[in-house]
Amino acid sequence: MSGQSLLVPGKISPTRPVPASIPRPEYVGKDAPTPYTGPEVQDAETIERMRIAGRIAAQAMAEAAKLIAPGVTTDELDRVAHEFMCDHGAYPSTLGYRGFPKSLCSSLNEVICHGIPDSTVLKDGDIVNLDVTAYINGVHGDNNATYLCGQVDEESTLLVERTREALNRAIKAVKPGRQINIIGRVIESYAKRFGYGVVRDFTGHGINSSFHSGLIVPHYDSPHHTTDIKPGMTFTIEPMLTLGSYDYDMWDDGWTVVTKDRKRTAQFEHTLVVTDTGAEILTLP
């Protein structure tokens, strides 16, 4: 694997403004969101609104990803995604969520998730996870992907490819009547073939008018998560695989999660709706 130095926090730029005409999620300006008490199964009208939110989130992520190259800052990636969402009438869901200061998460190399965009400059050989969520018409669409920056070593490249494949296999496993833990069973059994760690404490989640509804979607084989999968349920699958341990440390910023052994990690995510026969991806550009 690349012998690059470990990440250190950079300088965070001022909060980017969102036009006053764009509706905010209810948690903006609060310490925490109001707990969701609605159903996990959504009606057709809500799902259609989620398709719009998901499409904008996917497009915003794709626009930011076009800039990934050595010499570009993670703050610049945030700017592009922020402006794209605002230009399309969407609010960047992470901005102000429990105090998060930016419009996407940028997690490089050993960062598992929730990295804060800042003055950090991308280097040749980095792997870069972008996590983008858009809020529009009262609902959220959430997705992420890991990208290669310049010439990336084979071990890291394979990790990225296999994490994407783990997500694809998990999506195919979603069927009405199965339990939600089938998702983690498929991911973990695939990851074990390569000796990868599967992060446990950060999971997929229910999503709708709530960013995180309370439904937990584990990415490991858990006998305790036995919720039945039903048509109309909307949730994310977002496996985080590591080259080593799934144990982690957190930076002093209270957000940035890094592998305890500082080995690299990758993640992919889609928002899904369960259909009568499987799952439809709502976060396609």
Side-chain angles (χ1 to χ4, degrees):
M1 190 187 78
S2 171
Q4 290 181 339
S5 59
L6 299 178
L7 290 168
V8 295
K11 182 179 180 181
I12 300 174
S13 66
T15 300
R16 293 189 162 87
V18 177
S21 59
I22 295 177
R24 274 71 167 152
E26 58 83 23
Y27 53 73
V28 174
K30 297 165 53 177
D31 290 337
T34 301
Y36 178 71
T37 57
E40 298 296 344
V41 172
Q42 306 303 309
D43 58 32
E45 188 270 338
T46 300
I47 293 167
E48 183 55 37
R49 286 187 282 129
M50 290 183 67
R51 284 193 183 95
I52 296 169
R55 183 166 59 248
I56 292 173
Q59 291 172 335
M61 185 173 71
E63 287 300 308
K66 290 178 182 178
L67 273 70
I68 292 175
V72 176
T73 66
T74 55
D75 189 63
E76 181 67 4
L77 304 179
D78 181 80
R79 181 191 65 78
V80 171
H82 176 94
E83 291 179 358
F84 185 94
M85 285 185 274
C86 291
D87 288 347
H88 288 78
Y91 185 90
S93 300
T94 60
L95 185 62
Y97 180 79
R98 297 183 182 272
F100 192 83
K102 289 295 172 182
S103 299
L104 59 72
C105 299
S106 56
S107 302
L108 279 58
N109 301 337
E110 70 269 20
V111 179
I112 295 173
C113 58
H114 303 158
I116 300 173
D118 58 19
S119 61
T120 297
V121 177
L122 300 182
K123 297 181 177 63
D124 187 65
D126 284 344
I127 59 174
V128 184
N129 179 266
L130 300 182
D131 193 333
V132 179
T133 309
Y135 176 82
I136 189 170
N137 298 326
V139 295
H140 301 267
D142 185 3
N143 70 158
N144 75 53
T146 303
Y147 301 89
L148 308 181
C149 180
Q151 297 297 313
V152 176
D153 66 273
E154 183 180 19
E155 186 179 37
S156 299
T157 300
L158 287 172
L159 173 68
V160 171
E161 292 175 354
R162 290 164 176 168
T163 306
R164 182 191 293 110
E165 176 64 14
L167 172 60
N168 291 339
R169 290 178 179 227
I171 292 171
K172 291 176 182 176
V174 174
K175 305 285 185 185
R178 291 179 171 177
Q179 294 180 336
I180 205 89
N181 57 17
I182 186 66
I183 293 167
R185 190 171 307 129
V186 166
I187 292 168
E188 187 168 41
S189 64
Y190 179 70
K192 279 184 173 179
R193 289 168 48 182
F194 312 104
Y196 296 155
V198 181
V199 172
R200 282 164 152 67
D201 288 359
F202 301 93
T203 68
H205 52 88
I207 184 169
N208 37 64
S209 60
S210 172
F211 195 171
H212 299 86
S213 73
L215 175 69
I216 295 174
V217 183
H219 303 120
Y220 63 98
D221 189 357
S222 169
H224 307 296
H225 293 84
T226 57
T227 300
D228 289 332
I229 297 173
K230 299 176 182 177
M233 289 178 72
T234 49
F235 53 82
T236 71
I237 303 177
E238 45 188 300
M240 292 153 257
L241 305 187
T242 69
L243 288 175
S245 171
Y246 59 74
D247 292 327
Y248 65 90
D249 294 319
M250 186 175 288
W251 283 3
D252 291 342
D253 61 23
W255 283 104
T256 307
V257 179
V258 297
T259 54
K260 186 170 283 292
D261 56 16
R262 302 304 190 264
K263 291 187 177 180
R264 288 187 167 188
T265 176
Q267 182 183 16
F268 284 82
E269 172 188 20
H270 276 305
T271 295
L272 311 170
V273 59
V274 181
T275 67
D276 290 337
T277 57
E280 175 193 345
I281 299 172
L282 298 178
T283 38
L284 292 175

